[in-house]
Short mmCIF file of all heavy atoms in Angstrom, two decimals:
data_model
loop_
_atom_site.label_atom_id
_atom_site.label_comp_id
_atom_site.label_asym_id
_atom_site.label_seq_id
_atom_site.Cartn_x
_atom_site.Cartn_y
_atom_site.Cartn_z
N ALA A 1 -37.35 -48.44 8.58
CA ALA A 1 -38.81 -48.21 8.66
C ALA A 1 -39.18 -47.11 9.73
O ALA A 1 -40.00 -46.21 9.51
CB ALA A 1 -39.59 -49.45 8.97
N TRP A 2 -38.54 -47.23 10.85
CA TRP A 2 -38.69 -46.20 11.92
C TRP A 2 -38.32 -44.85 11.53
O TRP A 2 -39.04 -43.89 11.72
CB TRP A 2 -37.84 -46.67 13.10
CG TRP A 2 -38.24 -46.02 14.41
CD1 TRP A 2 -39.27 -45.21 14.72
CD2 TRP A 2 -37.49 -46.20 15.62
NE1 TRP A 2 -39.24 -44.78 15.96
CE2 TRP A 2 -38.14 -45.38 16.63
CE3 TRP A 2 -36.40 -46.85 16.01
CZ2 TRP A 2 -37.68 -45.24 17.96
CZ3 TRP A 2 -35.92 -46.77 17.31
CH2 TRP A 2 -36.60 -45.99 18.29
N LEU A 3 -37.14 -44.72 10.84
CA LEU A 3 -36.71 -43.41 10.41
C LEU A 3 -37.54 -42.85 9.30
O LEU A 3 -37.80 -41.65 9.27
CB LEU A 3 -35.24 -43.54 9.92
CG LEU A 3 -34.21 -43.97 11.03
CD1 LEU A 3 -32.83 -44.07 10.37
CD2 LEU A 3 -34.12 -42.91 12.11
N THR A 4 -38.03 -43.73 8.39
CA THR A 4 -38.89 -43.26 7.36
C THR A 4 -40.25 -42.71 7.89
O THR A 4 -40.67 -41.71 7.44
CB THR A 4 -39.21 -44.41 6.35
OG1 THR A 4 -37.95 -44.92 5.76
CG2 THR A 4 -40.13 -43.96 5.20
N GLN A 5 -40.76 -43.46 8.88
CA GLN A 5 -42.01 -43.01 9.52
C GLN A 5 -41.81 -41.68 10.28
O GLN A 5 -42.74 -40.84 10.39
CB GLN A 5 -42.52 -44.14 10.43
CG GLN A 5 -43.79 -43.86 11.04
CD GLN A 5 -44.31 -44.95 11.97
OE1 GLN A 5 -44.81 -46.00 11.37
NE2 GLN A 5 -44.31 -44.84 13.28
N ALA A 6 -40.58 -41.51 10.75
CA ALA A 6 -40.30 -40.25 11.51
C ALA A 6 -40.00 -39.11 10.59
O ALA A 6 -39.73 -38.00 11.09
CB ALA A 6 -39.12 -40.50 12.45
N GLY A 7 -39.99 -39.33 9.27
CA GLY A 7 -39.81 -38.24 8.37
C GLY A 7 -38.36 -37.90 8.02
O GLY A 7 -38.07 -36.81 7.46
N VAL A 8 -37.44 -38.76 8.34
CA VAL A 8 -36.02 -38.57 8.04
C VAL A 8 -35.79 -38.70 6.51
O VAL A 8 -36.45 -39.60 5.92
CB VAL A 8 -35.17 -39.60 8.81
CG1 VAL A 8 -33.70 -39.41 8.46
CG2 VAL A 8 -35.35 -39.48 10.32
N SER A 9 -35.01 -37.97 5.98
CA SER A 9 -34.73 -37.93 4.50
C SER A 9 -34.15 -39.20 3.99
O SER A 9 -33.36 -39.87 4.79
CB SER A 9 -33.94 -36.72 4.08
OG SER A 9 -32.59 -36.89 4.43
N LEU A 10 -34.28 -39.53 2.68
CA LEU A 10 -33.63 -40.73 2.12
C LEU A 10 -32.06 -40.66 2.26
O LEU A 10 -31.45 -41.68 2.47
CB LEU A 10 -34.05 -40.93 0.66
CG LEU A 10 -35.39 -41.46 0.32
CD1 LEU A 10 -35.52 -41.63 -1.17
CD2 LEU A 10 -35.41 -42.93 0.90
N GLY A 11 -31.55 -39.42 2.03
CA GLY A 11 -30.13 -39.32 2.12
C GLY A 11 -29.56 -39.67 3.53
O GLY A 11 -28.61 -40.40 3.66
N GLU A 12 -30.26 -39.17 4.52
CA GLU A 12 -29.93 -39.43 5.88
C GLU A 12 -30.07 -40.96 6.27
O GLU A 12 -29.28 -41.56 6.95
CB GLU A 12 -30.67 -38.57 6.85
CG GLU A 12 -30.24 -37.12 6.81
CD GLU A 12 -31.09 -36.28 7.76
OE1 GLU A 12 -32.29 -36.39 7.69
OE2 GLU A 12 -30.50 -35.55 8.62
N ILE A 13 -31.20 -41.54 5.75
CA ILE A 13 -31.41 -42.95 6.02
C ILE A 13 -30.28 -43.80 5.37
O ILE A 13 -29.79 -44.73 5.96
CB ILE A 13 -32.83 -43.37 5.41
CG1 ILE A 13 -33.92 -42.71 6.24
CG2 ILE A 13 -32.93 -44.92 5.44
CD1 ILE A 13 -35.30 -42.98 5.69
N GLY A 14 -29.83 -43.38 4.17
CA GLY A 14 -28.70 -44.08 3.54
C GLY A 14 -27.41 -43.97 4.30
O GLY A 14 -26.69 -44.98 4.45
N LEU A 15 -27.26 -42.82 4.93
CA LEU A 15 -26.01 -42.63 5.78
C LEU A 15 -26.02 -43.51 7.03
O LEU A 15 -24.93 -43.78 7.53
CB LEU A 15 -25.88 -41.15 6.16
CG LEU A 15 -25.61 -40.19 5.06
CD1 LEU A 15 -25.58 -38.76 5.55
CD2 LEU A 15 -24.18 -40.48 4.54
N PHE A 16 -27.21 -43.97 7.49
CA PHE A 16 -27.27 -44.77 8.63
C PHE A 16 -26.60 -46.19 8.32
O PHE A 16 -26.32 -46.94 9.25
CB PHE A 16 -28.69 -44.96 9.10
CG PHE A 16 -29.06 -44.16 10.32
CD1 PHE A 16 -29.33 -42.79 10.15
CD2 PHE A 16 -29.04 -44.65 11.56
CE1 PHE A 16 -29.58 -42.00 11.24
CE2 PHE A 16 -29.28 -43.94 12.64
CZ PHE A 16 -29.61 -42.54 12.53
N ALA A 17 -26.37 -46.49 7.04
CA ALA A 17 -25.65 -47.70 6.73
C ALA A 17 -24.28 -47.71 7.34
O ALA A 17 -23.69 -48.70 7.55
CB ALA A 17 -25.52 -47.87 5.24
N LEU A 18 -23.74 -46.47 7.66
CA LEU A 18 -22.45 -46.42 8.25
C LEU A 18 -22.32 -47.02 9.67
O LEU A 18 -21.23 -47.27 10.13
CB LEU A 18 -21.98 -44.90 8.28
CG LEU A 18 -21.71 -44.30 6.91
CD1 LEU A 18 -21.41 -42.79 7.09
CD2 LEU A 18 -20.45 -44.95 6.18
N VAL A 19 -23.46 -47.16 10.34
CA VAL A 19 -23.41 -47.75 11.63
C VAL A 19 -22.97 -49.24 11.53
O VAL A 19 -22.58 -49.90 12.50
CB VAL A 19 -24.75 -47.72 12.40
CG1 VAL A 19 -25.22 -46.30 12.55
CG2 VAL A 19 -25.86 -48.57 11.71
N GLY A 20 -23.08 -49.80 10.30
CA GLY A 20 -22.55 -51.14 10.11
C GLY A 20 -21.06 -51.32 9.89
O GLY A 20 -20.57 -52.32 9.55
N ILE A 21 -20.25 -50.18 10.10
CA ILE A 21 -18.79 -50.24 9.97
C ILE A 21 -18.19 -51.36 10.77
O ILE A 21 -17.21 -52.02 10.24
CB ILE A 21 -18.23 -48.84 10.32
CG1 ILE A 21 -18.44 -47.87 9.14
CG2 ILE A 21 -16.74 -48.99 10.49
CD1 ILE A 21 -17.89 -46.52 9.46
N PRO A 22 -18.65 -51.71 11.98
CA PRO A 22 -18.01 -52.78 12.67
C PRO A 22 -17.97 -54.14 11.85
O PRO A 22 -17.11 -54.98 12.03
CB PRO A 22 -18.92 -52.97 13.97
CG PRO A 22 -19.37 -51.55 14.21
CD PRO A 22 -19.65 -51.00 12.83
N TYR A 23 -18.94 -54.40 11.00
CA TYR A 23 -18.94 -55.64 10.17
C TYR A 23 -17.75 -55.57 9.17
O TYR A 23 -17.43 -56.70 8.69
CB TYR A 23 -20.24 -55.71 9.41
CG TYR A 23 -21.47 -55.94 10.23
CD1 TYR A 23 -22.35 -54.93 10.58
CD2 TYR A 23 -21.75 -57.22 10.81
CE1 TYR A 23 -23.56 -55.17 11.36
CE2 TYR A 23 -22.85 -57.47 11.58
CZ TYR A 23 -23.72 -56.47 11.90
OH TYR A 23 -24.79 -56.64 12.66
N THR A 24 -17.17 -54.46 8.92
CA THR A 24 -16.04 -54.39 7.98
C THR A 24 -14.68 -54.39 8.61
O THR A 24 -13.67 -54.39 7.96
CB THR A 24 -16.12 -53.15 7.08
OG1 THR A 24 -15.91 -51.99 7.91
CG2 THR A 24 -17.56 -53.09 6.52
N ILE A 25 -14.63 -54.33 9.97
CA ILE A 25 -13.38 -54.27 10.73
C ILE A 25 -13.32 -55.38 11.76
O ILE A 25 -12.55 -55.30 12.77
CB ILE A 25 -13.11 -52.88 11.38
CG1 ILE A 25 -14.32 -52.59 12.35
CG2 ILE A 25 -12.99 -51.83 10.29
CD1 ILE A 25 -14.10 -51.32 13.13
N LYS A 26 -13.93 -56.51 11.54
CA LYS A 26 -13.92 -57.66 12.50
C LYS A 26 -12.53 -58.18 12.79
O LYS A 26 -12.25 -58.73 13.84
CB LYS A 26 -14.90 -58.71 12.01
CG LYS A 26 -16.39 -58.34 12.10
CD LYS A 26 -17.22 -59.48 11.77
CE LYS A 26 -17.32 -59.82 10.32
NZ LYS A 26 -18.36 -60.89 10.08
N PHE A 27 -11.67 -58.04 11.80
CA PHE A 27 -10.32 -58.53 11.92
C PHE A 27 -9.55 -57.86 12.98
O PHE A 27 -8.48 -58.22 13.43
CB PHE A 27 -9.57 -58.50 10.60
CG PHE A 27 -9.50 -57.11 9.98
CD1 PHE A 27 -8.46 -56.31 10.32
CD2 PHE A 27 -10.42 -56.67 9.05
CE1 PHE A 27 -8.35 -54.99 9.79
CE2 PHE A 27 -10.34 -55.36 8.44
CZ PHE A 27 -9.33 -54.50 8.89
N LEU A 28 -9.98 -56.62 13.45
CA LEU A 28 -9.24 -55.89 14.45
C LEU A 28 -9.29 -56.53 15.79
O LEU A 28 -8.37 -56.53 16.56
CB LEU A 28 -9.80 -54.47 14.51
CG LEU A 28 -9.57 -53.55 13.33
CD1 LEU A 28 -10.11 -52.16 13.54
CD2 LEU A 28 -8.07 -53.48 13.02
N TRP A 29 -10.51 -57.11 16.18
CA TRP A 29 -10.60 -57.73 17.50
C TRP A 29 -10.49 -59.25 17.46
O TRP A 29 -10.29 -59.93 18.51
CB TRP A 29 -11.93 -57.34 18.17
CG TRP A 29 -13.11 -57.57 17.28
CD1 TRP A 29 -13.70 -58.78 17.07
CD2 TRP A 29 -13.94 -56.58 16.67
NE1 TRP A 29 -14.79 -58.60 16.22
CE2 TRP A 29 -14.95 -57.25 15.97
CE3 TRP A 29 -13.86 -55.19 16.59
CZ2 TRP A 29 -15.92 -56.58 15.26
CZ3 TRP A 29 -14.80 -54.54 15.85
CH2 TRP A 29 -15.83 -55.20 15.13
N ALA A 30 -10.54 -59.85 16.26
CA ALA A 30 -10.52 -61.33 16.15
C ALA A 30 -9.21 -61.87 16.65
O ALA A 30 -9.34 -62.99 17.34
CB ALA A 30 -10.70 -61.66 14.65
N PRO A 31 -8.03 -61.32 16.54
CA PRO A 31 -6.85 -61.86 17.17
C PRO A 31 -6.98 -62.09 18.70
O PRO A 31 -6.42 -63.10 19.25
CB PRO A 31 -5.73 -60.88 16.87
CG PRO A 31 -6.17 -60.27 15.57
CD PRO A 31 -7.70 -60.12 15.75
N PHE A 32 -7.63 -61.14 19.40
CA PHE A 32 -7.80 -61.31 20.75
C PHE A 32 -8.64 -62.51 21.17
O PHE A 32 -8.38 -63.17 22.09
CB PHE A 32 -8.46 -60.00 21.41
CG PHE A 32 -7.57 -58.86 21.35
CD1 PHE A 32 -7.59 -58.00 20.19
CD2 PHE A 32 -6.78 -58.51 22.38
CE1 PHE A 32 -6.81 -56.82 20.14
CE2 PHE A 32 -5.91 -57.42 22.37
CZ PHE A 32 -5.95 -56.56 21.23
N MET A 33 -9.58 -62.85 20.26
CA MET A 33 -10.49 -63.95 20.47
C MET A 33 -9.85 -65.25 20.07
O MET A 33 -10.27 -66.33 20.62
CB MET A 33 -11.80 -63.76 19.67
CG MET A 33 -12.63 -62.58 20.13
SD MET A 33 -14.05 -62.19 19.13
CE MET A 33 -14.78 -60.86 20.03
N ASP A 34 -8.79 -65.24 19.24
CA ASP A 34 -8.02 -66.37 18.98
C ASP A 34 -7.00 -66.63 20.04
O ASP A 34 -6.70 -67.80 20.36
CB ASP A 34 -7.30 -66.23 17.64
CG ASP A 34 -8.11 -66.64 16.40
OD1 ASP A 34 -8.96 -67.44 16.62
OD2 ASP A 34 -7.79 -66.14 15.32
N ARG A 35 -6.53 -65.57 20.69
CA ARG A 35 -5.42 -65.70 21.63
C ARG A 35 -5.93 -66.00 23.10
O ARG A 35 -5.36 -66.80 23.80
CB ARG A 35 -4.57 -64.44 21.62
CG ARG A 35 -3.45 -64.39 22.73
CD ARG A 35 -2.41 -65.50 22.56
NE ARG A 35 -1.42 -65.48 23.59
CZ ARG A 35 -1.60 -66.05 24.74
NH1 ARG A 35 -2.64 -66.81 25.00
NH2 ARG A 35 -0.57 -66.01 25.69
N TYR A 36 -6.95 -65.32 23.50
CA TYR A 36 -7.35 -65.34 24.94
C TYR A 36 -8.62 -66.20 25.16
O TYR A 36 -9.51 -66.21 24.34
CB TYR A 36 -7.52 -63.93 25.46
CG TYR A 36 -6.26 -63.11 25.38
CD1 TYR A 36 -6.15 -62.06 24.48
CD2 TYR A 36 -5.23 -63.41 26.24
CE1 TYR A 36 -4.99 -61.28 24.44
CE2 TYR A 36 -4.01 -62.61 26.13
CZ TYR A 36 -3.92 -61.56 25.30
OH TYR A 36 -2.76 -60.84 25.23
N VAL A 37 -8.62 -66.92 26.28
CA VAL A 37 -9.75 -67.75 26.66
C VAL A 37 -10.49 -67.14 27.89
O VAL A 37 -9.81 -67.01 28.93
CB VAL A 37 -9.28 -69.19 26.88
CG1 VAL A 37 -10.42 -70.06 27.24
CG2 VAL A 37 -8.52 -69.75 25.74
N PRO A 38 -11.73 -66.89 27.83
CA PRO A 38 -12.48 -66.41 28.98
C PRO A 38 -12.47 -67.45 30.15
O PRO A 38 -12.22 -68.67 29.81
CB PRO A 38 -13.93 -66.19 28.47
CG PRO A 38 -13.72 -65.96 26.97
CD PRO A 38 -12.60 -66.82 26.63
N PRO A 39 -12.66 -67.10 31.36
CA PRO A 39 -12.55 -68.00 32.48
C PRO A 39 -13.62 -69.14 32.49
O PRO A 39 -13.46 -70.14 33.08
CB PRO A 39 -12.67 -67.11 33.70
CG PRO A 39 -13.32 -65.90 33.22
CD PRO A 39 -12.87 -65.73 31.80
N LEU A 40 -14.72 -68.86 31.77
CA LEU A 40 -15.89 -69.86 31.74
C LEU A 40 -16.28 -70.24 30.32
O LEU A 40 -16.16 -69.41 29.43
CB LEU A 40 -17.07 -69.35 32.51
CG LEU A 40 -16.97 -68.98 34.03
CD1 LEU A 40 -18.21 -68.35 34.57
CD2 LEU A 40 -16.58 -70.24 34.78
N LEU A 41 -16.67 -71.44 30.13
CA LEU A 41 -17.27 -72.04 28.94
C LEU A 41 -16.32 -72.23 27.69
O LEU A 41 -16.70 -72.71 26.70
CB LEU A 41 -18.41 -71.11 28.39
CG LEU A 41 -19.60 -70.81 29.36
CD1 LEU A 41 -20.63 -69.92 28.76
CD2 LEU A 41 -20.23 -72.19 29.68
N GLY A 42 -15.05 -71.87 27.86
CA GLY A 42 -14.13 -72.13 26.72
C GLY A 42 -13.86 -70.95 25.89
O GLY A 42 -14.52 -69.84 26.06
N ARG A 43 -12.94 -71.04 24.92
CA ARG A 43 -12.55 -69.93 24.11
C ARG A 43 -13.66 -69.42 23.31
O ARG A 43 -13.84 -68.21 23.26
CB ARG A 43 -11.37 -70.39 23.19
CG ARG A 43 -10.92 -69.22 22.27
CD ARG A 43 -9.52 -69.52 21.59
NE ARG A 43 -9.63 -70.65 20.70
CZ ARG A 43 -8.76 -70.84 19.69
NH1 ARG A 43 -7.82 -69.92 19.47
NH2 ARG A 43 -8.88 -71.92 18.92
#
């Protein structure tokens, strides 16, 4: 909505979906969260 109001084109707005790439690569950092436990509050 912000980009549309700012006059950004539909094509560029669609490309902003790429900022969601981290949602597709969660398995890259998940092993660290399975293996290591922070010092407070538990794993």
Side-chain angles (χ1 to χ4, degrees):
W2 194 8
L3 297 177
T4 301
Q5 182 174 289
V8 179
S9 71
L10 276 180
E12 289 177 309
I13 292 174
L15 289 175
F16 258 80
L18 292 173
V19 303
I21 284 178
Y23 291 103
T24 69
I25 56 174
K26 290 188 284 187
F27 57 87
L28 294 181
W29 53 73
F32 292 89
M33 296 172 172
D34 273 337
R35 173 64 183 88
Y36 298 109
V37 181
L40 297 174
L41 299 179
R43 179 168 65 156

